């Protein structure tokens, strides 16, 4: 076989006879009890760790066609058992050490089952039931033989021989020997040479005895210490389910044959590149894992035989050892360069394979977890399938491995080569993966191979991997369809039409205060006239520093009607932040109220007291300045990695597009919308403009209403609130502790601002099954929202989707090279479209970093916003939010840069250095993923705090800063 000559295995097999440095294996002292080999030792203790688990069972199906002599087959099986001691071994613990005991005679129970009287479907069903049951039945290592045999009769000329054994006595190479011996005895019996003593001079027990007397080569151990030194990176496999605390080893299998043409191309290219198919296909697997995970330092386990002497080549036993193949590479590496790197890594690892895996674990002491292998999560196995043994001219045999529904590792790729065809099989744990995910893996592995054989000089990140379905999903036509607001120039015009249609309807409710649409419009016009006296019709930014009230909303609308953009300044912001926001935005005029003016100190800027502007019940006249879609509507300041907040300017076109999108996405517009978020947060715009542009009532809550769940329920009930938006964690508290009868008016609840968990959804559908539940996602830079999802009660999974693009948004999941990631793989979320702000106020450097040229629109001025958020597409084509890619986190709805907190802490004289991390105190993990937990906290590590008094002084100082976006979190540092 031409391909076989290329394999590492066959090259090793065809080497000159050698004694591996002069060693030879002698017969062990005569005994019934022998030590275990190092590989057996590892399996024995794994068996004790996971008792009664079939994970180390191995099963094969032998399908015979022709006149099979069942009695001769039985005798042949007994003969194989007689000549191999290991097949008659049991395993015991003696004086704290495991030993294997060889039995002179053991009874091999061969069960015969007649299925020939069953009809086709019934026969197949019964056969599957028998094979599955037998393969999953655990072995008792103390009872020999550790193999079970069944013979199923399907007809007089069709039989199945089913063999299940424990791995501690057999490896894949040994199964080839087993078949050779079985065939030989079957053809020889019942002649005179049937049972002549063909028992090997050397048995596996002799090898085990010899191996235990050998010292580990210190040079080989040093190689592995160098290779596996430092932090062992965790392969970021995109899973469908959360990793269990303990593995169940429940598994599935997905097998495909590669096309004939592709198989031939792989063989030819392997020869051309002077590597084996093993190295070639392993290299392609590295590419697949990299494209799925983003990891550039990947560890893969691979089995290798320890048969270092030709003396051992015909011995049945467990000779497998596991080696760790660690390869570091960059995405700009050519595939041919990766091939050479993997070839060198593989050959070096093979040359140092005599260090037992369990000794590596002991010596290197990596961080352990009951749910993970200490070094790797995935295996790669390559196998040249030997020719089918001949049982006679009139008997045809087909044999195959039987997957029994278990998986030793999270993911294993088996590649076999038979009759010129490569076959790929992914074995996976069903605790983590759905079969649909594995189907995608198969598709992407094949596509990578096709791309590689087409052009092996491609860089790793450029090798094609996307299916046609994915291209259609990711690159669908982004056509902006004219909506109901297509004829409007600014957002205020839309509100004015709502006023004309609903003049006497309630527009605003705040406690006991309320305004109709006509009253609200009149009040906004008066405020606009007062502003116009100062701005003279210019599109300026006007600060809005007012307490929550109906007047605050009137002031917001008045600024817009004056042709200006409003800058919301939360009255609870610390003075330092207010000064920065005002100075950075060049605000010359601030609209405030009597109560808020007393705490406003921001230098030589004109302050207009909204309470001193006259209120008239008549319709005041106004000549509003021209204001178009490209003019600013508002500016929102968000946290920044530089230690200072950054201003996001939003145009009328942006907010019109965002609001218009709600009319087409949601089933109904709000009759009464409860606004709980601060107008300084972009999420408030969803309620303000959606409600006031469609004739609903905007119910403005008092400050910190969320801290009184009973009162919140009263507000919802008394105002017949139909729609609201909350943080998922707050909504969970509301539905768990509210009087549900007070929530009966609700029709639609939107959660946003942090990750929504399946537990929250389950509670919602239990408590309020008639209320529609939606999950929204979108950064300020994309105008409130860009992705949304209607959550259904039937949905199950680790992550609640944020959904599909809305409001004409373009959304892409890209890797570090701005290449689209395949379905299921994590990528950073990039957003484009008419909702994009496109810049930061007076910050060209940050703008350039955050907004990139559109990579999929050549010769275009289009931009994409780099969110820093990670997501992936699920099988339904919805995006799932996976957390932050950088140091910024979102916790309890506050968007925060950890670096910003560090800079503020280091401003204190008591602190020389601060390191801030996100921690989940329940899960005890320090990771950005903690943002998905309702118990996440910010933890700071501080240097040079001389005594406890200074620590208390520092924390007291931090507490006085109250609820600024970042300071709210700093309070958690205690």
């Amino acid at each position: 076989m031409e391909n076989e000559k290329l394999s590492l295995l066959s090259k090793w097999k065809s080497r000159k006879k050698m004694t591996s440095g002069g060693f030879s294996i002698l017969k062990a002292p005569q005994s019934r009890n022998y030590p275990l080999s190092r590989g057996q030792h590892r399996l024995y203790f794994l068996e004790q760790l996971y008792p009664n688990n079939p994970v180390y069972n191995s099963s094969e199906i032998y399908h015979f066609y022709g006149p099979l002599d069942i009695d001769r087959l039985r005798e042949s099986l007994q003969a194989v058992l007689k000549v191999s001691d290991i097949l008659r071994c049991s395993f015991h613990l003696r004086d704290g050490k495991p030993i294997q005991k060889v039995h002179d005679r053991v009874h091999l129970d061969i069960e015969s089952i007649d299925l020939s009287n069953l009809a086709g479907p019934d026969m197949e069903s019964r056969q599957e039931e028998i094979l599955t049951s037998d393969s999953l039945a655990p072995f008792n290592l103390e009872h020999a033989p550790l193999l079970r045999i069944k013979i199923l009769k399907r007809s007089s000329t069709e039989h199945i021989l089913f063999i299940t054994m424990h791995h501690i006595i057999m490896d894949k190479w040994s199964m080839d020997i087993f078949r050779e011996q079985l065939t030989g005895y079957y053809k020889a019996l019942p002649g005179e040479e049937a049972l002549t003593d063909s028992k090997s001079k050397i048995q596996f027990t002799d090898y085990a005895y010899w191996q235990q007397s050998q010292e580990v080569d210190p040079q080989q151990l040093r190689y592995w210490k160098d290779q596996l030194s430092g932090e062992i990176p965790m392969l970021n496999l995109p899973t469908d389910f959360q990793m269990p605390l303990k593995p169940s080893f429940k598994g599935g299998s997905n097998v495909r044959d590669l096309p004939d043409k592709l198989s031939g191309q792989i063989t030819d290219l392997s020869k051309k590149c002077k590597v084996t198919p093993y190295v070639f296909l392993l290299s392609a697997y590295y590419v697949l894992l990299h494209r799925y995970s983003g990891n550039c330092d990947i560890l893969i386990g691979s089995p290798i035989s320890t048969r270092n002497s030709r003396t051992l080549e015909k011995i049945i036993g467990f000779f497998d050892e596991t080696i760790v193949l660690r390869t570091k590479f960059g995405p700009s590496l050519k595939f041919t360069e990766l091939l050479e790197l993997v070839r060198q890594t593989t050959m070096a690892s093979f040359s140092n394979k005599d260090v037992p895996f369990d000794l590596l674990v002991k010596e290197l002491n990596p961080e352990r977890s009951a749910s993970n292998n200490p070094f790797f999560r995935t295996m790669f196995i390559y196998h040249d399938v030997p020719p089918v043994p001949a049982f006679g001219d009139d008997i045809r045999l087909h044999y195959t491995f039987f997957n029994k529904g278990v998986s030793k590792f999270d993911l294993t790729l088996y590649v076999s080569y038979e009759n010129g065809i490569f076959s790929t099989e992914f074995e996976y744990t069903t605790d983590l993966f759905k079969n649909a995910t594995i189907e995608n893996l198969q598709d992407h592995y094949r596509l990578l191979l096709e791309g590689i054989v087409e052009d092996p000089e491609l860089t790793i990140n450029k090798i094609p991997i996307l299916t046609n379905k994915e291209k259609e999903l990711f690159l669908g036509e982004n056509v902006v369809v004219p909506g109901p607001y297509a004829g409007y120039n600014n957002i205020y015009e839309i509100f004015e039409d709502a006023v004309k249609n609903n003049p006497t309807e309630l527009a605003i409710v705040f406690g006991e205060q309320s305004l109709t649409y006509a009253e609200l419009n009149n009040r906004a016009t008066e405020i606009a006239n007062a502003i116009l006296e100062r701005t003279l019709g210019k599109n300026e930014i006007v600060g809005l520093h007012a307490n929550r009230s109906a007047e605050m909303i009137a002031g917001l609308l008045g600024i817009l009607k004056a042709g200006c953009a409003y800058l919301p300044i939360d009255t609870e912001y610390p003075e330092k932040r207010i000064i920065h926001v005002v100075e950075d935005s060049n605000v010359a005029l601030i609209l405030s109220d009597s109560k808020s003016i007393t705490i406003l100190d921001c230098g030589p800027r004109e302050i207009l007291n909204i309470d001193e502007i006259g209120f008239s019940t008549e319709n005041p006249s106004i000549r509003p300045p021209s204001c178009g879609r490209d003019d600013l509507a508002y500016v929102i300041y968000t946290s920044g990695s530089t230690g200072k907040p950054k201003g996001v300017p939003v145009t009328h076109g942006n907010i019109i597009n965002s609001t218009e999108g709600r009319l087409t996405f949601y089933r109904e517009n709000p009759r009464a919308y409860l606004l709980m978020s601060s107008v300084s947060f972009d999420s408030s715009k969803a309620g303000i403009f959606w409600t006031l542009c469609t004739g609903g009532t905007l119910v403005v809550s008092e400050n910190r209403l969320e801290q009184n769940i009973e009162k919140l329920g009263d507000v919802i009930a008394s105002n017949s609130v139909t729609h609201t938006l909350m943080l998922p964690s707050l909504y969970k508290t509301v539905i768990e502790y509210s009087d549900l009868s007070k929530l009966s008016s609700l029709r639609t609840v939107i959660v946003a601002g942090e990750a929504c968990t399946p537990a929250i959804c389950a509670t919602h559908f239990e408590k309020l099954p008639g209320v529609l539940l939606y999950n929204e996602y979108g950064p300020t830079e994309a105008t409130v929202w860009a992705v949304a999802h209607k959550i259904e009660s039937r949905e199950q999974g680790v992550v609640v989707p944020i959904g599909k693009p809305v409001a004409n948004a373009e959304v892409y999941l890209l890797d570090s090279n701005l290449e689209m990631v395949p379905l299921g793989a994590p990528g950073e979320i990039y957003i484009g479209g008419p909702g994009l702000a496109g810049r930061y106020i007076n910050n060209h450097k940050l703008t350039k970093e955050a907004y990139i040229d559109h990579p999929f629109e050549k010769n275009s001025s289009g931009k994409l916003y780099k969110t820093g958020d990670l997501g992936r597409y699920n099988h339904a084509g919805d995006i799932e939010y996976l957390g932050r890619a950088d140091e910024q986190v979102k916790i309890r709805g506050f968007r925060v840069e950890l670096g910003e907190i560090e800079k503020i802490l280091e401003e204190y004289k008591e602190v020389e250095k601060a390191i801030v991390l996100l921690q989940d105190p329940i899960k005890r993990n320090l990771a950005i993923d903690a943002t998905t937990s309702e118990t996440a906290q910010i933890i700071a590590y501080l240097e040079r705090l001389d005594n406890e008094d200074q620590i208390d002084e520092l924390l007291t100082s931090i507490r006085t800063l109250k609820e600024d976006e970042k300071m709210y979190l700093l309070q958690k540092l205690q």
Side-chain angles (χ1 to χ4, degrees):
M1 188 183 301
E2 183 64 25
N3 186 75
E4 186 177 0
K5 295 177 183 178
L6 289 169
S7 75
L8 285 172
L9 180 63
S10 60
K11 281 186 174 182
W12 190 88
K13 280 185 174 183
S14 63
R15 72 201 183 287
K16 293 180 179 179
K17 289 190 176 183
M18 54 86 173
T19 58
S20 188
F23 84 81
S24 60
I25 298 174
L26 303 176
K27 294 288 291 183
Q30 189 64 35
S31 173
R32 288 177 178 265
N33 299 333
Y34 296 90
L36 273 59
S37 70
R38 291 164 180 163
Q40 284 182 312
H41 198 272
R42 182 173 72 255
L43 289 188
Y44 182 84
F45 278 103
L46 285 171
E47 183 74 26
Q48 309 312 304
L49 185 62
Y50 303 106
N52 300 318
N53 195 308
V55 68
Y56 287 103
N57 288 8
S58 180
S59 300
E60 288 195 335
I61 302 175
Y62 294 73
H63 208 138
F64 292 93
Y65 302 89
L68 183 68
D69 187 327
I70 300 299
D71 291 336
R72 180 182 292 191
L73 181 62
R74 286 173 172 274
E75 193 173 353
S76 301
L77 288 164
Q78 296 286 0
V80 174
L81 198 70
K82 180 178 179 181
V83 300
S84 292
D85 287 356
I86 188 64
L87 300 181
R88 305 192 310 280
C89 278
S90 58
F91 296 80
H92 310 268
L93 205 59
R94 296 286 186 267
D95 300 324
K97 293 183 179 180
I99 58 100
Q100 49 190 327
K101 180 178 181 180
V102 179
H103 301 266
D104 288 338
R105 295 179 180 274
V106 295
H107 175 65
L108 180 60
D109 184 17
I110 304 175
E111 183 180 1
S112 291
I113 303 173
D114 191 350
L115 303 179
S116 61
N117 59 335
L118 297 176
D122 292 336
M123 178 187 293
E124 300 302 329
S125 175
R126 178 58 179 149
Q127 176 180 303
E128 184 69 18
E129 179 186 331
I130 293 169
L131 302 190
T132 300
S133 174
D134 192 69
S135 66
L136 292 176
F139 285 99
N140 184 337
L141 295 188
E142 294 187 350
H143 294 107
L146 296 178
L147 73 161
R148 293 188 293 267
I149 296 178
K150 284 183 168 55
I151 299 176
L152 279 59
K153 180 181 178 182
R154 292 172 58 90
S155 72
S156 59
T157 58
E158 185 181 359
H159 296 80
I160 285 179
L161 170 66
F162 189 66
I163 302 177
T164 299
M165 65 212 77
H166 197 284
H167 246 311
I168 203 167
I169 64 169
M170 186 82 69
D171 57 24
K172 189 173 284 291
W173 186 321
S174 296
M175 284 307 302
D176 294 343
I177 301 170
F178 182 92
R179 283 187 289 273
E180 290 177 9
Q181 292 183 354
L182 182 62
T183 304
Y185 285 125
Y186 182 87
K187 293 195 295 186
L189 289 171
E192 297 179 359
E193 302 176 0
L195 292 176
T196 55
D197 190 12
S198 59
K199 187 173 181 180
S200 300
K201 295 180 179 179
I202 297 295
Q203 291 284 325
F204 180 81
T205 47
D206 300 316
Y207 164 76
Y209 180 87
W210 168 85
Q211 191 189 54
Q212 289 295 344
S213 68
Q214 304 301 302
E215 296 290 335
V216 173
D217 185 341
Q219 290 186 344
Q220 290 197 30
L221 184 57
R222 191 177 305 114
Y223 166 83
W224 288 111
K225 286 184 174 181
D226 291 342
Q227 186 75 357
L228 301 176
S229 62
E231 182 181 356
I232 301 298
M234 178 74 163
L235 181 61
N236 185 29
L237 288 173
T239 61
D240 297 303
F241 309 105
Q242 288 181 332
M243 185 172 291
L245 294 177
K246 283 190 175 182
S248 71
F249 299 108
K250 294 178 181 178
S253 176
N254 189 293
V255 185
R256 290 188 192 176
D257 290 337
L258 295 181
D260 295 8
K261 181 181 177 181
L262 180 58
S263 293
Q265 289 172 321
I266 292 170
T267 302
D268 293 342
L269 188 54
S270 296
K271 293 178 187 176
K272 183 178 178 180
C273 295
K274 299 180 180 179
V275 297
T276 63
Y278 174 96
V279 170
F280 187 96
L281 294 160
L282 173 62
S283 299
Y285 191 43
Y286 271 115
V287 176
L288 179 69
L289 295 174
H290 166 71
R291 297 287 288 271
Y292 259 81
S293 68
N295 290 64
C296 292
D297 182 1
I298 299 177
L299 289 79
I300 299 177
S302 193
I304 189 169
S305 178
T306 58
R307 300 172 191 260
N308 292 339
S309 169
R310 292 183 70 89
T311 308
L312 303 174
E313 289 187 359
K314 294 298 182 181
I315 306 299
I316 290 178
F318 183 71
F319 290 91
D320 281 354
E321 191 52 81
T322 300
I323 57 172
V324 185
L325 301 172
R326 183 176 191 176
T327 305
K328 302 177 184 179
F329 55 93
S332 60
L333 203 67
K334 293 179 181 179
F335 182 76
T336 50
E337 295 171 333
L338 177 64
L339 266 181
E340 177 58 23
L341 187 61
V342 173
R343 187 190 70 81
Q344 292 175 7
T345 299
T346 303
M347 295 309 295
S349 299
F350 284 8
S351 299
N352 293 277
K353 65 183 174 63
D354 295 324
V355 179
F357 184 78
D358 50 349
L359 179 61
L360 279 181
V361 175
K362 181 179 179 181
E363 289 285 333
L364 296 171
N365 193 29
E367 185 176 341
R368 302 300 301 272
S369 167
S371 61
N372 268 323
N373 182 281
F375 291 117
F376 54 83
R377 298 183 66 186
T378 184
M379 290 276 287
F380 177 82
I381 300 173
Y382 178 86
H383 181 55
D384 271 324
V385 180
V388 177
F391 275 73
D393 295 337
D394 52 352
I395 296 177
R396 183 166 53 91
L397 170 65
H398 177 265
Y399 70 90
T400 184
F401 173 75
F402 181 78
N403 187 288
K404 53 198 172 298
V406 300
S407 180
K408 303 179 187 68
F409 300 95
D410 292 351
L411 187 68
T412 299
L413 172 57
Y414 292 90
V415 180
S416 60
Y417 184 78
E418 184 177 14
N419 299 325
I421 301 297
F422 289 104
S423 176
T424 58
E425 175 181 1
F426 281 98
E427 182 184 277
Y428 60 97
T429 173
T430 52
D431 286 341
L432 296 179
F433 298 103
K434 297 177 180 177
N435 186 60
T437 298
I438 307 303
E439 289 280 356
N440 288 338
L441 275 171
Q442 287 277 25
D443 288 339
H444 294 138
Y445 189 59
R446 177 183 55 81
L447 285 167
L448 282 173
L449 289 171
E450 289 175 348
I452 289 167
V453 299
E454 182 71 23
D455 185 359
E457 295 299 320
L458 283 173
T459 56
I460 290 167
N461 60 302
K462 295 294 184 181
I463 301 172
I465 193 173
L466 300 183
T467 64
N468 290 332
K469 178 183 176 182
E470 289 170 331
K471 291 175 184 176
E472 183 178 339
L473 175 64
F474 303 159
L475 288 172
E477 291 188 21
N478 295 306
V479 179
V480 177
V481 179
Y485 296 154
Y488 292 92
N489 293 315
N490 58 67
I491 194 71
Y492 195 80
E493 290 179 354
I494 304 173
F495 168 70
E496 285 188 320
D497 273 359
V499 173
K500 293 175 184 177
N501 296 326
N502 308 278
T504 61
E505 299 294 328
L506 277 181
I508 298 289
V509 172
F510 176 75
E512 299 300 320
Q513 183 186 18
S514 63
L515 294 173
T516 66
Y517 269 85
E519 291 170 336
L520 177 61
N521 188 47
N522 291 344
R523 186 62 179 142
T525 301
E526 290 167 336
I527 295 169
N529 281 325
I531 293 171
L532 280 169
E533 292 177 5
R534 293 158 174 82
T535 62
L536 303 178
K538 291 180 290 186
N539 182 233
E540 296 183 8
I541 300 174
V542 176
L544 178 63
H545 183 264
N547 283 286
R548 296 174 70 82
S549 63
E551 286 285 282
M552 177 189 70
I553 301 299
L556 180 156
L557 293 170
I559 294 173
L560 290 170
K561 195 167 188 177
C564 294
Y566 72 90
L567 169 65
I569 306 170
D570 198 300
T571 56
E572 295 197 345
Y573 277 172
E575 181 181 325
K576 187 174 180 180
R577 181 181 176 108
I578 291 176
I579 292 173
H580 166 74
V581 166
V582 170
E583 290 180 347
D584 187 67
S585 59
N586 296 322
V587 164
L589 176 65
I590 298 176
L591 184 65
S592 189
D593 56 32
S594 299
K595 184 178 179 181
S596 303
I597 285 177
T598 61
I599 61 171
L600 187 60
D601 181 13
C602 52
R605 285 166 175 80
E606 185 175 2
I607 298 176
L608 178 61
N609 190 338
I610 196 172
D611 296 328
E612 295 179 356
I613 300 173
F615 187 92
S616 173
T617 57
E618 301 297 328
N619 293 333
S621 62
I622 186 175
R623 295 188 66 179
S626 175
C627 187
R629 286 188 173 233
D630 292 335
D631 290 315
L632 288 185
Y634 62 85
V635 177
I636 293 285
Y637 270 78
T638 67
S639 294
S641 58
T642 60
K644 293 183 178 180
K646 53 188 182 289
V648 180
V650 176
T651 67
H652 282 273
N654 294 148
I655 189 61
I656 289 174
N657 174 78
S658 177
T659 305
E660 192 174 53
R662 297 188 177 278
L663 275 61
T664 55
F665 179 77
Y666 285 99
R667 181 178 297 180
E668 58 183 7
N669 297 325
R671 294 199 298 273
Y673 185 103
L674 176 61
L675 176 65
M676 300 183 65
S677 58
S678 165
V679 292
S680 296
F681 290 171
D682 68 330
S683 60
S684 67
K685 314 314 172 219
I688 293 172
F689 296 111
W690 185 16
T691 305
L692 296 181
C693 288
T694 57
T697 302
L698 184 67
V699 181
V700 181
S701 73
E702 65 180 53
N703 199 23
R704 296 191 181 90
L705 177 62
E706 70 276 2
Q707 297 180 10
N708 189 331
I709 298 300
E710 183 179 357
K711 190 172 183 180
L712 192 157
D714 291 337
V715 170
I716 291 174
S718 61
N719 293 282
S720 299
V721 170
T722 60
H723 291 60
T724 190
L725 184 151
M726 298 184 190
L727 294 171
S729 52
L730 171 60
Y731 182 56
K732 181 174 184 289
T733 303
V734 170
I735 53 180
E736 284 184 343
Y737 297 102
S738 291
D739 179 350
L740 295 181
S741 65
K742 295 180 179 181
L743 309 181
S744 61
S745 63
L746 286 175
R747 294 292 176 265
T748 297
V749 172
I750 304 165
V751 291
E754 62 186 22
C756 178
T757 66
I760 294 173
C761 299
T763 305
H764 165 84
F765 288 111
E766 176 189 351
K767 304 278 189 178
L768 299 173
V771 178
L772 302 179
L773 181 62
Y774 293 86
N775 196 16
E776 277 190 14
Y777 164 86
T780 306
E781 291 82 352
T783 312
V784 187
W785 67 331
V787 180
H789 176 66
K790 182 177 182 292
I791 302 172
E792 303 287 355
S793 60
R794 64 180 179 273
E795 290 179 334
Q796 294 181 349
V798 174
V799 181
V800 177
I802 55 176
K804 294 182 174 67
V806 292
N808 298 309
E810 298 176 36
V811 181
Y812 303 94
L813 304 186
L814 307 179
D815 62 20
S816 58
N817 302 289
L818 301 183
E819 297 289 339
M820 285 182 286
V821 297
L823 196 75
E828 186 170 352
I829 301 174
Y830 286 76
I831 300 175
L836 209 60
R839 65 185 178 94
Y840 294 112
I841 291 286
N842 301 322
N843 200 326
H844 176 73
K845 180 177 181 295
L846 202 57
T847 296
K848 190 174 181 180
E849 292 174 357
Y851 293 93
I852 67 167
D853 291 336
H854 201 308
F856 311 116
E857 289 183 2
K858 305 304 179 185
N859 305 316
S860 167
S861 60
K863 297 287 184 179
L864 293 182
Y865 171 63
K866 176 183 171 69
T867 67
D869 291 326
L870 294 177
R872 72 168 185 173
Y873 279 99
N874 64 17
H875 301 297
D878 291 311
I879 298 172
E880 297 176 343
Y881 176 78
L882 301 178
R884 290 293 301 174
D886 52 23
E887 288 190 331
Q888 189 185 76
V889 298
K890 212 167 193 179
I891 177 172
R892 288 182 282 281
F894 289 90
R895 177 175 168 182
V896 182
E897 297 275 359
L898 300 183
E900 181 179 350
I901 299 176
E902 291 173 353
K903 286 180 174 64
I904 292 171
L905 286 172
E906 289 169 0
E907 290 179 3
Y908 291 87
K909 62 181 184 296
E910 300 90 352
V911 179
E912 180 167 309
K913 178 65 178 174
I915 298 176
V916 179
L917 300 170
L918 191 64
Q919 184 182 59
D920 185 335
I922 293 180
K923 297 180 181 177
R924 306 307 302 171
N925 65 309
L926 290 167
I928 297 301
D929 288 343
T931 57
T932 60
S933 169
E934 297 165 25
T935 58
Q937 295 180 352
I938 295 292
I939 303 296
Y941 296 87
L942 310 175
E943 288 184 13
R944 270 191 75 184
L945 288 170
D946 297 335
N947 55 57
E948 290 186 7
D949 291 339
Q950 287 186 344
I951 296 175
D952 290 339
E953 180 183 346
L954 171 63
L955 292 174
T956 300
S957 300
I958 293 172
R959 291 190 196 100
T960 62
L961 296 174
K962 298 182 180 178
E963 295 202 15
D964 165 47
E965 285 186 42
K966 56 186 179 299
M967 294 309 145
Y968 176 86
L969 291 168
L970 285 173
Q971 292 176 31
K972 304 300 177 182
L973 294 177
Q974 59 185 308

